[in-house]
Amino acid sequence: MNYKQAIDHPIFKTIGNAADELGVDCYIIGGFVRDYLLKKESAKDIDLVAIGSGIELAKKVAERLPGKPKVSIFKNFGTAMIKHKDLELEFVGARRESYQRDSRKPIVEDGSLEDDQNRRDFTINALAIGLNPHNHGVLLDPFNGIDDLENKIIRTPLDPNITYSDDPLRMMRAIRFAAQLNYEIELKSLQAITENKERIHIVSKERIVDELNKILMSNKPSIGFKLLHQTELLSYILPELKALQGIEEIEGQMHKDNFWHTLEVVDNIAKTTDNLWLRWAALLHDIGKAPTKRFDKKIGWTFHAHEFVGSKMVYKLFKRLHMPLNDKMKFVQKMVLMSSRPIILSEDHVTDSAVRRLVFDAGDYVEDLMTLCEADITTKNPRKQKRYLKNFQIVRQKIIEVEERDRIRNFQPPVSGEEIMKVFNLRPSKEIGIIKEAIKEAILSGKIPNEHDAAYNYMLQKGLEMGLKYSKK
Ligand code: ATP
Ligand code: MG
């Protein structure tokens, strides 16, 4: 079949001619071909395989391109990269790979196109299109990848047991593609992943997290997490989530399955935000529930302080997975810590002071927190769902009103420490902190407005109560 259209960008002619000049064949392979056939926006990273030296071909191509772009050569990998406009062209020589037990880095030998297609992870990633003049636009699809695209199936070119055992990262990639494309993983593959799950330990944490992030950023992340659960990879990667799974019953009282609930929350939030870290917060918002679960004869199941415990667990989880321990982590912690606040608040009559406290504690993240809490509504009772959503609308509206009036976000004390010291002729001491705290409390509770003069008078009154002497200038 002819796929000239896929390669109508002039760069592909240039590459084909350069390859001919060197007397090698060259193919475009992998993600670009797959995404073209899926009618997705064309990928900007383009993988090219030469039946010969990829590095030599890259040099030849660069010579023929306007401005003679730089060729970055990665000798250890036998690859070369050229940046041309918004494209990244990655050249590699066709290779045959063999693996050792303890590493996902293969021993590499020169090979044919077939060898190179055999080493690819999935049939849909092994599709190649010829670029030389004699086979320009000819599709080579030895494993029926086209059919698998049609049938929405993830399948490995070779025996899946070997494919996944050789490079266990492919287990994560299979699940990630299933989530991104909404595909099924072939049964044989699923079984092989389950069998090889413990081999995930030879994959670096960073690569695992890359794939987790891609699953989280897909339209329906639950597809990926269900597969991680089904293949039992979840226990190795995110045991905190695995621990949420299951329902216990004591004296006829049950709690909800917090794992499946969490997946619903993540799917919900995927519809309203593309913020990766907010999606992480949704994934982790209930992790404190496993270690805090108790049964009390009078009140039934409780998860006392699970938000606090959960936020502590976020740090350990990020650290274990070599994720950034920076403001992103702190953001996720804050979301987990505060994840029940808007719900508690909206169950009651929504008062201004409760909203002020919420804004004070959440600061700039208050909208993100509301987004998380809205996603957290997974009740199947339509009346309840409607009521919760309506209450959250009221909270959101009140946040805007209160903020306009009281400017609580990024709160700055309206009376400074220096002013307090001067008025009462104090040295730095704990009295100053007490007065500042009292002013803040008075503002949040609505006793006084967030203004200097009102706060100043309140300070005088408070100081008097504390027996401080007013120092006249
Ligand atoms: P995306 O770029 O959307 O993540 P992709 O399929 O292009 O998807 P890349 O990581 O860019 O993924 O890899 C390019 C190609 O290299 C793949 O299409 C596949 O043929 C091959 N490949 C990548 N990683 C592996 C692997 N671990 N095992 C075997 N083949 C792989
Ligand atoms: Mg790619």
Side-chain angles (χ1 to χ4, degrees):
M1 256 207 269
N2 206 303
Y3 285 83
K4 278 216 166 72
Q5 236 191 357
I7 50 170
D8 67 355
H9 195 294
I11 184 86
F12 294 124
K13 221 180 196 121
T14 310
I15 298 171
N17 290 337
D20 249 21
E21 200 178 303
L22 279 179
V24 300
D25 276 349
C26 176
Y27 300 85
I28 177 167
I29 193 164
F32 182 94
V33 182
R34 180 197 68 224
D35 288 351
Y36 171 81
L37 293 169
L38 287 172
K39 303 191 172 53
K40 284 204 194 172
E41 200 186 325
S42 346
K44 299 293 174 208
D45 59 323
I46 299 177
D47 294 293
L48 300 147
V49 47
I51 318 304
S53 165
I55 295 175
E56 289 312 311
L57 177 59
K59 287 183 185 160
K60 199 59 142 195
V61 170
E63 272 172 30
R64 289 172 165 245
L65 286 174
K68 297 212 168 63
K70 191 177 131 232
V71 182
S72 313
I73 296 172
F74 307 95
K75 259 230 162 81
N76 294 348
F77 297 99
T79 63
M81 204 261 284
I82 301 176
K83 283 197 177 159
H84 174 66
K85 297 186 179 155
D86 60 341
L87 301 178
E88 265 186 26
L89 308 168
E90 181 98 35
F91 292 84
V92 62
R95 53 175 66 168
R96 178 208 293 269
E97 291 181 340
S98 49
Y99 287 80
Q100 290 156 312
R101 260 323 266 176
D102 57 345
S103 159
R104 49 175 295 265
K105 297 212 173 50
I107 299 164
V108 175
E109 295 165 78
D110 291 345
S112 62
L113 178 68
E114 290 75 49
D115 291 327
D116 202 275
Q117 285 175 305
N118 279 332
R119 78 175 177 91
R120 302 276 157 177
D121 48 5
F122 308 115
T123 58
I124 61 168
N125 284 347
L127 294 152
I129 297 178
L131 294 183
N132 294 64
H134 71 89
N135 66 358
H136 201 74
V138 175
L139 181 81
L140 290 118
D141 177 18
F143 313 112
N144 275 325
I146 290 264
D147 287 349
D148 291 342
L149 282 175
E150 184 76 19
N151 299 321
K152 299 175 176 276
I153 290 267
I154 307 284
R155 205 159 57 86
T156 56
L158 305 179
D159 178 351
N161 251 314
I162 298 170
T163 301
Y164 293 117
S165 171
D166 276 352
D167 177 2
L169 175 66
R170 294 168 182 161
M171 306 195 284
M172 294 300 296
R173 284 174 57 91
I175 292 172
R176 180 259 287 197
F177 282 118
Q180 281 181 327
L181 303 171
N182 196 0
Y183 276 25
E184 301 267 334
I185 298 178
E186 191 197 30
L187 188 63
K188 265 200 312 191
S189 243
L190 267 184
Q191 287 165 344
I193 295 175
T194 313
E195 233 155 83
N196 286 288
K197 58 183 186 261
E198 59 84 25
R199 287 197 46 76
I200 195 71
H201 78 265
I202 66 167
V203 181
S204 77
K205 304 287 194 308
E206 289 78 358
R207 297 305 299 267
I208 292 174
V209 170
D210 275 351
E211 300 300 328
L212 282 177
N213 286 343
K214 287 181 181 171
I215 292 171
L216 270 175
M217 289 311 286
S218 66
N219 289 338
K220 201 173 170 201
S222 66
I223 296 174
F225 289 101
K226 273 180 197 163
L227 287 166
L228 289 173
H229 174 59
Q230 192 184 340
T231 56
E232 294 165 31
L233 274 169
L234 196 66
S235 307
Y236 294 84
I237 301 170
L238 293 167
E240 298 86 349
L241 277 187
K242 167 73 194 152
L244 291 180
Q245 195 252 317
I247 299 177
E248 253 189 277
E249 182 175 346
I250 298 183
E251 295 178 4
Q253 299 210 53
M254 294 200 283
H255 61 78
K256 70 178 167 214
D257 185 308
N258 285 302
F259 175 66
W260 298 105
H261 161 71
T262 292
L263 296 197
E264 277 186 67
V265 178
V266 175
D267 281 351
N268 283 345
I269 212 160
K271 294 188 195 116
T272 51
T273 181
D274 282 337
N275 176 344
L276 171 66
W277 303 103
L278 192 47
R279 290 184 181 204
W280 266 104
L283 186 69
L284 304 181
H285 80 286
D286 268 349
I287 50 172
K289 280 193 173 171
T292 57
K293 184 166 95 173
R294 300 280 179 277
F295 185 78
D296 180 292
K297 275 192 180 318
K298 283 199 201 100
I299 35 180
W301 291 103
T302 66
F303 305 91
H304 182 65
H306 77 84
E307 301 88 347
F308 177 75
V309 172
S311 75
K312 296 282 167 218
M313 290 166 75
V314 167
Y315 171 79
K316 287 192 195 138
L317 186 152
F318 269 51
K319 195 163 159 86
R320 186 186 72 233
L321 291 178
H322 300 179
M323 288 167 73
L325 298 175
N326 57 11
D327 52 326
K328 307 295 184 216
M329 191 271 300
K330 290 203 181 110
F331 168 78
V332 176
Q333 279 193 307
K334 187 156 197 156
M335 290 295 110
V336 173
L337 181 64
M338 294 192 70
S339 57
S340 306
R341 286 276 298 275
I343 299 165
I344 296 167
L345 188 153
S346 72
E347 271 168 356
D348 211 359
H349 174 64
V350 185
T351 63
D352 282 8
S353 66
V355 170
R356 270 193 295 269
R357 282 181 199 283
L358 183 75
V359 176
F360 179 82
D361 290 336
D364 278 339
Y365 302 135
V366 70
E367 276 88 20
D368 287 337
L369 182 63
M370 293 307 297
T371 303
L372 173 60
C373 290
E374 279 156 357
D376 200 5
I377 304 171
T378 60
T379 171
K380 299 294 169 293
N381 177 336
R383 268 207 346 260
K384 271 195 185 168
Q385 192 194 34
K386 226 171 130 189
R387 196 179 77 229
Y388 289 148
L389 283 173
K390 200 175 126 237
N391 284 352
F392 281 152
Q393 259 335 97
I394 297 172
V395 175
R396 276 190 187 267
Q397 186 52 38
K398 275 231 148 124
I399 288 173
I400 296 170
E401 285 168 22
V402 162
E403 193 45 31
E404 255 175 32
R405 197 177 58 228
D406 302 332
R407 302 173 321 280
I408 297 298
R409 199 181 285 214
N410 304 321
F411 180 82
Q412 295 292 332
V415 176
S416 70
E418 285 95 79
E419 213 170 345
I420 300 171
M421 292 200 285
K422 216 159 143 197
V423 170
F424 295 112
N425 199 15
L426 290 170
R427 292 167 165 280
S429 58
K430 74 166 194 282
E431 278 78 11
I432 299 154
I434 294 171
I435 294 176
K436 274 183 130 174
E437 184 62 23
I439 294 173
K440 186 196 94 192
E441 271 303 308
I443 292 170
L444 292 183
S445 66
K447 231 185 214 170
I448 59 168
N450 184 12
E451 286 163 7
H452 175 267
D453 290 358
Y456 188 89
N457 287 333
Y458 190 79
M459 166 199 73
L460 293 180
Q461 185 191 326
K462 188 77 199 164
L464 225 63
E465 278 169 33
M466 290 164 68
L468 296 176
K469 291 250 170 355
Y470 183 60
S471 126
K472 298 202 179 64
K473 274 172 252 165

